[in-house]
Amino acid sequence: MSNYDGPVFNAGVSGSQFAWNNGTVSQNQQNNGAVAPGFEALAALVTNLLRELPRAGLAGQDREDAESAAREVLATIARPDAPQGGVLRRALAVLKGVLAPVATGVVAGTAAGTQEWAQKAIEGLTGVL
């Protein structure tokens, strides 16, 4: 039996992220694939949202939901065929719902300017489709 002091990968790993032995960690990943025509502004908005999300002060599950919904938006608008409206509407609704408490000031402990940022993000996500 071997004893390792760190992560061990027994197969090829590509495009993955992990944090090890950290008290706190914030990771971001950019997927710079092509975006369906007409969705470039949405891609930029959601990419910025993912980058700024760690300072929003969201609880763990809310942050995970927002990250998952944002990645779903990006994956959907990167499809070569026409993006699916229903999938986008649901993911955008999740993002707006998670950001609403931040925008209204209900979430305590957020960084300065976060409430305004959340309000602008919600405005940008509204009326996209």
Side-chain angles (χ1 to χ4, degrees):
M1 178 187 281
S2 297
N3 184 11
Y4 297 99
D5 292 328
V8 176
F9 300 94
N10 293 315
V13 178
S14 175
S16 298
Q17 290 180 279
F18 70 95
W20 170 58
N21 203 19
N22 293 36
T24 60
V25 66
S26 176
Q27 295 180 333
N28 294 300
Q29 196 172 56
Q30 289 184 342
N31 296 320
N32 296 323
V35 175
F39 291 93
E40 297 85 1
L42 178 59
L45 176 68
V46 173
T47 300
N48 182 52
L49 189 146
L50 274 171
R51 185 174 38 253
E52 296 295 324
L53 202 55
R55 59 186 212 116
L58 294 170
Q61 187 61 53
D62 287 339
R63 182 173 167 185
E64 287 178 27
D65 291 346
E67 289 174 347
S68 176
R71 285 189 175 82
E72 187 171 12
V73 168
L74 293 175
T76 301
I77 62 178
R79 294 174 53 123
D81 54 347
Q84 301 170 352
V87 171
L88 280 178
R89 277 191 296 278
R90 284 188 294 279
L92 292 173
V94 168
L95 283 172
K96 290 187 282 188
V98 170
L99 291 175
V102 177
T104 58
V106 174
V107 175
T110 58
T114 303
Q115 185 174 357
E116 184 179 331
W117 165 80
Q119 290 168 351
K120 287 182 180 181
I122 291 171
E123 289 172 14
L125 296 170
T126 302
V128 170
L129 296 178

